[in-house]
Amino acid sequence: MAEKYVMALDQGTTSSRVIIFNQKGEIVAKAQSEFQQFYPQNGWVEHDPNEILFSEMQSILSVLREGHIDPKKIAGIGITNQRETTVVWDKNTGVPVYNAIVWQCRRTADYCEELKEEGLGDYIKSTTGLLIDAYFSATKIKWILDNVEGARERAENGDLLFGTIDTWLIWNLTGGKVHVTDYSNACRTMLFDIDKLQWDPFLCEKLGIPMSMLPEVKSSSCIYGTCSRFAGIEAIEGIPIAGAIGDQPGALFGQGCFEKGQAKNTYGTGCFLLMNTGDKRINSHSNLLTGIAWGLDGKITYDLEGSAFNAGSVIKWLRDEVELIKDARECDICAEKVDDSNGLYFVPAFTGLGAPYWDMYARGCMIGLTRGINKNHICRAVLESITFQMTDLLEAMMNDSGILLKDLRVDGGASISDIMMQIQANMTGVNVNRPVNREATALGAAYLAGLATGVWKDTKEIEANRVVDKVFVPSMAEDKRNEMYANWKRAVERSRNWER
């Protein structure tokens, strides 16, 4: 059989990437384009939707040209994306009415407090699986309609569309013919009923969001439409867009976590732990989120998720704002020079704390400073802070599910750090399993598109593709681990409610 490829568009928080995979799940070509981050006010984060779109197009051109890939051999395109980021645009002109409001943005925190005070927390949790937070799309949509001149009137007239980034890309790639999202993205809007599998009329009315703005919700693996000759890119014309999934469930799929109880953690801009909970939702008692991992073959797979907002972004902060290191590798080198952080604890609550705390008003802090603290200790404390956050999430997840993990699959850019993965194994007490291919998010999107187009026949064939790079085994004494983790908890308490 002739070789087939699948193209994955991996639209992240800081860059747009395109990766082409072969039938073994191996990378044959990739390209990446960074785009600008906008911070109009403290706690606000925005992107230019058109810059995202054209950076993705630029990456498509680059990967085809530099990889010498014949587009006719591409069976389909899968899309994975930063999830809660919100775009509203005019369906007649295709022009966004405002910048994309990014998942990290905290501008609607006060309105979220109003919703809590009105007693909507229980309804939202039971219906959507989420907690009320500025993280999710719903209050971002409301903010645009309330603050952009004429937006609400245009929305009520049926002229505006909403979408997460997958929806925005698909709409443009199909020449404005397809307005769609998948279950994994829809469930992160705080407007979607994850039991009835439909948009919730009560929540839409409560937030003043016309339901005509919302995309159709479909399986994560199906043919949504075909690419038009967009922006002069003739090469992709006619290629089916056959998969869409949010970045974190995409990584869960790409890691082969197809069985109930399997879990993965992605170390990207943030830190995201997901566990496959099968065909039934688990209601969290530990402030974790219940969501839909994917829809496939007419079945829904649910997940439990915990998120830490700042992980890889903390290393970038060390590099770009503090200028303590030149690159991520230097952070590792410095951390490896010392046995511990010399009593220093760092809480990276730059944009608040995610699960299990959900404190929108927490801010970062560094505590335990003494005259003996040096650059190496700071780098070590930063790496430890990422693993501490993940340990918080894993402990909460095991409490909710009753499942004691023996193996944690990891991916994402920062998972390349051997020292951080070893610290992670020490802190969680479970083996950390890192695959050769750490592009799990894009791989998940590719697999879903490939299943819809016949490149792979089932998940068993996909699972056989996974190759392990290294397994990190816990090697820290339990009393030492418990002491460090207790001190982390103390440090977190000092960071909380700072902006109140």
Side-chain angles (χ1 to χ4, degrees), residues 154-194:
R154 292 163 68 188
E156 290 172 354
N157 288 339
D159 291 327
L160 297 187
L161 300 178
F162 151 74
T164 43
I165 297 295
D166 60 313
T167 305
W168 169 245
L169 292 177
I170 293 170
W171 192 86
N172 280 283
L173 286 168
T174 60
K177 294 179 181 177
V178 180
H179 184 221
V180 68
T181 190
D182 91 301
Y183 290 113
S184 71
N185 280 291
C187 76
R188 302 293 288 193
T189 60
M190 213 171 77
L191 295 172
F192 192 73
D193 188 320
I194 63 172

Side-chain angles (χ1 to χ4, degrees), residues 11-39:
Q11 204 298 297
T13 306
T14 59
S15 68
S16 295
R17 301 188 303 157
V18 176
I19 304 178
I20 295 178
F21 296 94
N22 63 19
Q23 287 167 272
K24 294 180 180 179
E26 299 167 333
I27 296 171
V28 296
K30 63 180 177 179
Q32 180 171 342
S33 302
E34 292 192 358
F35 53 84
Q36 192 171 356
Q37 311 289 304
F38 299 98
Y39 307 99

Side-chain angles (χ1 to χ4, degrees), residues 187 193-197 252 257 260-262 274-282 290-295 299-305:
C187 76
D193 188 320
I194 63 172
D195 294 315
K196 296 179 180 177
L197 304 181
L252 189 71
C257 295
K260 180 179 178 180
Q262 290 185 303
L274 271 74
M275 176 186 285
N276 181 331
T277 63
D279 60 0
K280 292 182 174 59
R281 63 183 283 182
I282 290 178
T290 301
I292 298 174
W294 53 76
K299 298 178 181 178
I300 295 296
T301 295
Y302 290 92
D303 61 31
L304 269 179
E305 176 172 350

Side-chain angles (χ1 to χ4, degrees), residues 367-386:
I367 195 162
L369 283 166
T370 62
R371 185 64 181 83
I373 295 293
N374 59 36
K375 171 181 174 178
N376 300 329
H377 298 122
I378 294 173
C379 289
R380 179 106 185 183
V382 162
L383 296 185
E384 288 179 351
S385 76
I386 297 171

Side-chain angles (χ1 to χ4, degrees), residues 185-424:
N185 280 291
C187 76
R188 302 293 288 193
T189 60
M190 213 171 77
L191 295 172
F192 192 73
D193 188 320
I194 63 172
D195 294 315
K196 296 179 180 177
L197 304 181
Q198 64 184 30
W199 299 111
D200 185 74
F202 170 76
L203 288 174
C204 291
E205 182 179 359
K206 177 64 183 175
L207 273 70
I209 297 171
M211 295 185 74
S212 61
M213 297 179 67
L214 305 178
E216 182 181 1
V217 185
K218 289 191 172 185
S219 165
S220 308
S221 179
C222 66
I223 296 176
Y224 303 111
T226 57
C227 292
S228 65
R229 188 179 301 188
F230 179 78
I233 303 179
E234 298 179 19
I236 63 171
E237 185 177 7
I239 296 177
I241 302 171
I245 191 166
D247 50 6
Q248 301 315 317
L252 189 71
F253 200 89
Q255 284 274 29
C257 295
F258 304 132
E259 300 297 323
K260 180 179 178 180
Q262 290 185 303
K264 71 87 200 175
N265 190 58
T266 296
Y267 301 83
T269 301
C271 193
F272 301 89
L273 177 68
L274 271 74
M275 176 186 285
N276 181 331
T277 63
D279 60 0
K280 292 182 174 59
R281 63 183 283 182
I282 290 178
N283 294 315
S284 174
H285 303 290
S286 306
N287 287 331
L288 299 179
L289 305 176
T290 301
I292 298 174
W294 53 76
L296 179 65
D297 296 332
K299 298 178 181 178
I300 295 296
T301 295
Y302 290 92
D303 61 31
L304 269 179
E305 176 172 350
S307 308
F309 299 146
N310 290 282
S313 58
V314 189
I315 299 171
K316 285 191 174 185
W317 171 76
L318 273 186
R319 182 193 69 186
D320 299 339
E321 276 75 38
V322 184
E323 298 182 357
L324 200 64
I325 56 173
K326 293 186 176 68
D327 52 40
R329 177 59 189 143
E330 186 179 355
C331 186
D332 285 1
I333 292 170
C334 291
E336 288 167 350
K337 291 179 180 178
V338 291
D339 294 330
D340 55 42
S341 61
N342 198 11
L344 182 67
Y345 289 83
F346 178 71
V347 183
F350 297 150
T351 50
L353 289 168
Y357 308 103
W358 290 107
D359 186 344
M360 294 183 286
Y361 301 100
R363 289 297 179 266
C365 74
M366 194 179 292
I367 195 162
L369 283 166
T370 62
R371 185 64 181 83
I373 295 293
N374 59 36
K375 171 181 174 178
N376 300 329
H377 298 122
I378 294 173
C379 289
R380 179 106 185 183
V382 162
L383 296 185
E384 288 179 351
S385 76
I386 297 171
T387 71
F388 285 136
Q389 291 180 103
M390 218 299 296
T391 304
D392 283 337
L393 300 177
L394 187 59
E395 295 218 339
M397 196 163 285
M398 289 191 292
N399 287 336
D400 281 339
S401 67
I403 297 171
L404 184 63
L405 285 184
K406 296 180 180 179
D407 178 85
L408 177 68
R409 299 184 176 190
V410 298
D411 55 74
S415 70
I416 196 172
S417 169
D418 283 358
I419 183 172
M420 189 166 74
M421 293 303 96
Q422 184 59 56
I423 295 170
Q424 187 70 85

Side-chain angles (χ1 to χ4, degrees), residues 72-140:
K72 294 179 182 178
K73 293 184 178 181
I74 297 174
I77 294 174
I79 294 174
T80 185
N81 56 285
Q82 47 169 320
R83 287 173 294 174
E84 300 80 7
T85 297
T86 296
V87 186
V88 174
W89 68 95
D90 189 300
K91 72 176 185 182
N92 303 304
T93 65
V95 177
V97 302
Y98 189 77
N99 273 345
I101 301 181
V102 180
W103 59 273
Q104 297 165 312
C105 187
R106 313 307 295 168
R107 76 184 65 192
T108 61
D110 289 343
Y111 178 64
C112 288
E113 290 300 323
E114 291 178 21
L115 293 177
K116 291 177 186 178
E117 290 171 5
E118 290 178 28
L120 281 175
D122 288 343
Y123 181 85
I124 286 175
K125 185 174 182 180
S126 65
T127 303
T128 70
L130 307 177
L131 303 175
I132 297 175
D133 195 86
Y135 185 15
F136 306 111
S137 309
T139 59
K140 303 179 195 299

